[in-house]
Structure formats: C-alpha cells, structure tokens
Amino acid sequence: MNTKLNKSDWIILSIIFGVTVLLNGVDYYREGNELIEYLIDFPSTTIISIIIILAFIQILVPKLLTKKKQYLKFFIIAVLLLTVFGTLDKLIGRFTAGKDLSGIKSVWLLLQSGLYNATDMVGFPLGILLMKKFYEGQSQFLEMEKQQKENELKLLRSQIDPHFLFNNLNTLDSLIDSDTEKAKEYINRLSLIYRYLIKTKDSEVMELVEELQLAENYIFLIQTRFGNDYVFEIEKNESIDDKYIPTGALQTLLENVVKHNKPDTSSIKTKIIIEKNRLKIINSKSTLKSKKESFGTGLQNLKTRYQLLSDQEISIINTEDEFKVSIPIINLIE
C-alpha cells in the first residue's frame, strides 16, 4: 500500500473536514457557543484527526498489519492512540467552553469518552482513505503484472533460432548458381517471413490465417533446402476465420520438427490439423536417435507463452513412432 498521501487524498480530506466543520458550526451556533470555541475547537479537532489518520495509514496499518501481521499489538496501540488523542480533543473542548478539570467525575469515563470521540472523528475519513489506497494498490499491481507479462512475451518472441538466417543464406548461395528462378522465389519467401516477424514483433497473438501463410512460406524454405526429406500436409477441418494462436507458434513447431528429426531411409511426414478449438502437429520420427533427448527450448518457450496468455495448456505426446503437439486456439473476447 502506498502510504504517502497524494493530491486526491488531501482533496478528499478537505471535503470531509470542510463539511464536518460546517455542520458543527451550525450546532455551535444553535448552542450559542463563544467565538473562541469556533477558533480553537475546529482547527484542533481537524489537526488531531489528521494526525490519527496519518498514524494509521503510514505506520500502524503498513507496518503492524501488512508487514509484521502483529494483530494484537496493532489493536492495543490503535486503542491507546485513539484514546489519548480523543481525550485530548475532549479536554480542549472543555477548556474553550470555560470548564475546568474539577468537573470530571471519573477519569475512566473521560478516557472512554475520548476513545468514542476519536473513533467518531476519524472513522469515516480513515475508512474512505484506506479503501482508496487499497484499490489504488490493486490497480498498480495489476498494471505492473500486465507490464511484466508484456515484457516476458516480448522476450520470448525474440528467441528465434540464431542459425535460421545463416542456414537460409547458405541455401540461397547454392541456389543462385544452380536455379536462378528458384533463388528469386526463395528470396521472396524469406523476405515475407522477415516482414511478418517485424510486423508482429510486439503482437502477443495473431490470426490463424496469417500464421498459416507464415507456415507455408517457412515450409517452402525447408523443402527447398532439404528436398523430399520433409513432407508437409495441412488439413483444415474447421474454418480458420476469427481464430488466433500465439505469434510465431507454427514456426516454432515446424522448427522443432526439423531440429529433432534427421531423415534416414524415409521422409519425415508432418501433418498440421486444424480443429475447432485446437491445432495439432503430428510428425513421424526419425530412426536416428538424437544424442540429447529433449523437447527443445522452442516448445518450452511456447509453453511459457501459453501460461502467460491463457489458462489452457499445450499437450505433448511422444511415442516411439510419432510426435504429437496440440496447442489451444485462442478465442479473443471483445
């Protein structure tokens, strides 16, 4: 909780105490009180009330309740604080009214009256300020949480395979001499991919239609580079309109297929299946065993992004013959 009183806090206090002074002034006038009572009682009551409010907001609540959780100590100090200052306000009222201490029959009753008096003075403004501070704190926390998620998502989006450009430049270099027309197409597809990555660098999710276009361009690069080693099929069982997935998710999944499967006697077959609420990628596995069994940083990256974007999770099934990844399709609610 932010314990510092800001401009709006002081405005609220000014309005509350201004109205209180006005109403008390009417009561004083009806009772025929002396001018000295107006001049001393109202300022002193206001000052004492503000001291109590500041003590609660800046010391007692944040330190004893929130931080240390010393509830009994908080209660005892709060009662003592209210009693002392409430009694002080009562005594000031007696003196300005021309009454001396000899008229006090019981110190206990005076202290009890002081406690009730202080509670009555600060109860409403203190409650308003504490409520305001609580909701301001919640708003700040949610804003910080949102900013943190955005920063994490941008960081995760930036983690593209560093060898991606290097490998594609090598492929392009060999194509320039052997197949000029295909080299031009390769450059075009590569530029479309990078244009898409630049355009979507700050986007958390993108339309499935656009992600599929990225995937088709990426598949072209893979097949140009590796020939028939990788075969891809896209199966659309549902409309792809108004469907969203994390930006670059399909590219990550396709990268994972190539990274962890080196073909030997047969091609690596990959099927992209679009269903109502999920997108699945199923690929056959190479008989060549990888030195390191791993799902890869790409999939872990995608898992983390889904944790930040949705309450749904990625499903991964790794069998002897195939590898299946199922990712939720995100529905945006306007």
Side-chain angles (χ1 to χ4, degrees):
M1 184 177 76
N2 183 10
T3 60
K4 185 178 180 181
L5 295 187
N6 53 41
K7 184 178 179 181
S8 61
D9 296 330
W10 286 111
I11 291 174
I12 289 173
L13 287 178
S14 298
I15 293 172
I16 291 174
F17 286 118
V19 172
T20 302
V21 168
L22 182 62
L23 294 176
N24 285 338
V26 174
D27 288 339
Y28 272 42
Y29 179 77
R30 287 174 182 171
E31 294 172 3
N33 290 13
E34 298 294 331
L35 179 61
I36 190 173
E37 295 180 80
Y38 289 87
L39 297 177
I40 295 179
D41 288 0
F42 293 165
S44 63
T45 298
T46 302
I47 292 170
I48 288 172
S49 298
I50 290 175
I51 290 173
I52 296 173
I53 288 170
L54 290 175
F56 270 92
I57 289 181
Q58 296 187 348
I59 301 173
L60 297 183
V61 172
K63 292 186 178 180
L64 296 183
L65 277 187
T66 307
K67 189 176 180 180
K68 297 182 179 179
K69 302 188 185 303
Q70 297 177 342
Y71 304 117
L72 181 60
K73 186 176 180 180
F74 167 82
F75 177 76
I76 293 171
I77 294 176
V79 170
L80 289 174
L81 179 72
L82 290 169
T83 302
V84 169
F85 281 98
T87 303
L88 175 62
D89 182 70
K90 279 284 187 181
L91 291 174
I92 292 173
R94 289 185 64 87
F95 286 126
T96 56
K99 300 176 182 179
D100 55 31
L101 297 179
S102 61
I104 300 174
K105 297 180 180 179
S106 169
V107 175
W108 171 252
L109 290 176
L110 175 65
L111 294 176
Q112 189 179 34
S113 176
L115 174 61
Y116 294 155
N117 179 49
T119 304
D120 182 59
M121 286 193 306
V122 304
F124 180 68
L126 180 60
I128 291 292
L129 283 184
L130 286 175
M131 242 185 343
K132 180 174 178 289
K133 290 295 184 184
F134 171 78
Y135 283 109
E136 284 178 347
Q138 289 294 102
S139 298
Q140 290 174 357
F141 174 78
L142 291 174
E143 185 62 32
M144 290 172 61
E145 190 177 47
K146 179 184 176 183
Q147 187 62 48
Q148 178 67 18
K149 284 188 176 183
E150 289 177 355
N151 292 338
E152 290 179 16
L153 285 165
K154 287 179 181 178
L155 176 63
L156 291 168
R157 280 280 293 120
S158 68
Q159 295 177 359
I160 301 171
D161 187 350
H163 297 101
F164 177 69
L165 180 60
F166 177 77
N167 291 333
N168 281 292
L169 289 176
N170 281 340
T171 303
L172 183 59
D173 182 57
S174 63
L175 280 176
I176 289 173
D177 295 327
S178 61
D179 192 336
T180 307
E181 290 302 315
K182 199 161 191 178
K184 290 180 180 178
E185 179 64 15
Y186 198 90
I187 291 173
N188 181 53
R189 299 286 187 127
L190 187 59
S191 67
L192 287 174
I193 288 175
Y194 271 96
R195 191 177 303 160
Y196 182 80
L197 293 176
I198 293 169
K199 182 182 76 172
T200 62
K201 64 183 178 66
D202 295 323
S203 301
E204 299 175 3
V205 296
M206 285 300 295
E207 291 184 44
L208 182 55
V209 174
E210 296 195 41
E211 281 289 301
L212 280 174
Q213 290 176 354
L214 171 69
E216 289 169 355
N217 290 327
Y218 191 75
I219 288 170
F220 176 86
L221 300 187
I222 294 173
Q223 292 182 324
T224 302
R225 181 181 172 198
F226 295 104
N228 295 324
D229 288 347
Y230 297 92
V231 178
F232 296 90
E233 178 186 352
I234 299 177
E235 183 180 306
K236 301 176 184 178
N237 297 327
E238 290 284 335
S239 169
I240 60 175
D241 295 331
D242 298 321
K243 295 182 185 293
Y244 295 82
I245 59 174
T247 307
L250 264 177
Q251 181 186 349
T252 298
L253 295 173
L254 293 173
E255 283 177 351
N256 190 69
V257 172
V258 177
K259 183 178 179 181
H260 295 283
N261 295 281
K262 304 303 177 187
D264 45 4
T265 57
S266 59
S267 302
I268 301 298
K269 295 180 174 61
T270 302
K271 182 181 287 188
I272 301 172
I273 304 172
I274 299 167
E275 299 178 346
K276 184 177 182 181
N277 296 315
R278 299 190 78 86
L279 183 147
K280 297 179 180 178
I281 287 193
I282 305 172
N283 65 270
S284 59
K285 293 176 65 175
S286 171
T287 55
L288 297 175
K289 298 295 182 183
S290 174
K291 291 182 180 180
K292 291 185 179 181
E293 289 292 333
S294 170
F295 289 154
T297 56
L299 281 181
Q300 186 57 50
N301 182 313
L302 195 56
K303 282 183 178 180
T304 305
R305 290 176 64 195
Y306 263 103
Q307 289 173 358
L308 295 170
L309 287 169
S310 167
D311 56 357
Q312 301 181 78
E313 296 181 352
I314 293 177
S315 170
I316 298 175
I317 301 175
N318 188 15
T319 67
E320 186 177 347
D321 300 321
E322 60 183 14
F323 191 81
K324 302 178 183 179
V325 181
S326 173
I327 64 173
I329 291 174
I330 298 172
N331 295 316
L332 299 184
I333 301 174
E334 297 183 356

